């Protein structure tokens, strides 16, 4: 179930939030906090929803960019969570 704030988030605002998350994920300490908060699972959920909509033909503004940002963030965070270098 998607949080109410997430459902109400405009596409360009989502893109900005993801860009900030990607920048924060560059810092080791902040990345560790994001991993501890369960951000990998959250990023995968966003990616799954966006990818499903995309492949169903429900193309929306910033969709490809959102998918790219989420994939980049998830890769970096998952690397830390699973003990791999990202």
């Amino acid at each position: 179930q998607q949080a109410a704030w997430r459902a109400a988030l405009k596409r360009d605002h989502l893109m900005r939030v993801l860009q900030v998350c990607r920048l924060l994920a560059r810092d080791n300490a902040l990345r560790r906090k994001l991993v501890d908060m369960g951000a990998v699972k959250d990023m995968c959920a966003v990616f799954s929803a966006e990818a499903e909509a995309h492949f169903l033909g429900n193309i929306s503004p910033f969709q490809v960019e959102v998918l790219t940002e989420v994939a980049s963030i998830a890769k970096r965070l998952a690397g830390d969570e699973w003990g791999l270098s990202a």
Side-chain angles (χ1 to χ4, degrees):
Q1 182 74 9
Q2 195 176 70
W5 70 266
R6 172 65 177 89
L9 195 62
K10 293 181 181 179
R11 303 297 301 169
D12 58 329
H13 295 168
L14 173 60
M15 184 63 193
R16 301 298 180 262
V17 168
L18 291 171
Q19 287 173 329
V20 170
C21 287
R22 182 176 45 81
L23 292 173
L24 292 175
R26 291 180 179 174
D27 180 82
N28 288 336
L30 293 174
R31 191 166 57 245
R32 180 84 257 153
K33 291 281 188 190
L34 289 169
V35 168
D36 292 345
M37 292 171 44
V40 174
K41 182 179 177 183
D42 294 335
M43 289 295 157
C44 288
V46 172
F47 187 86
S48 178
E50 293 295 328
E52 181 179 6
H54 181 80
F55 287 116
L56 288 174
N58 301 324
I59 309 301
S60 59
F62 301 105
Q63 190 172 57
V64 172
E65 293 86 350
V66 165
L67 284 165
T68 302
E69 290 290 335
V70 172
S72 175
I73 297 164
K75 175 186 174 273
R76 183 172 291 258
L77 297 179
D80 279 10
E81 183 173 289
W82 299 330
L84 307 170
S85 12

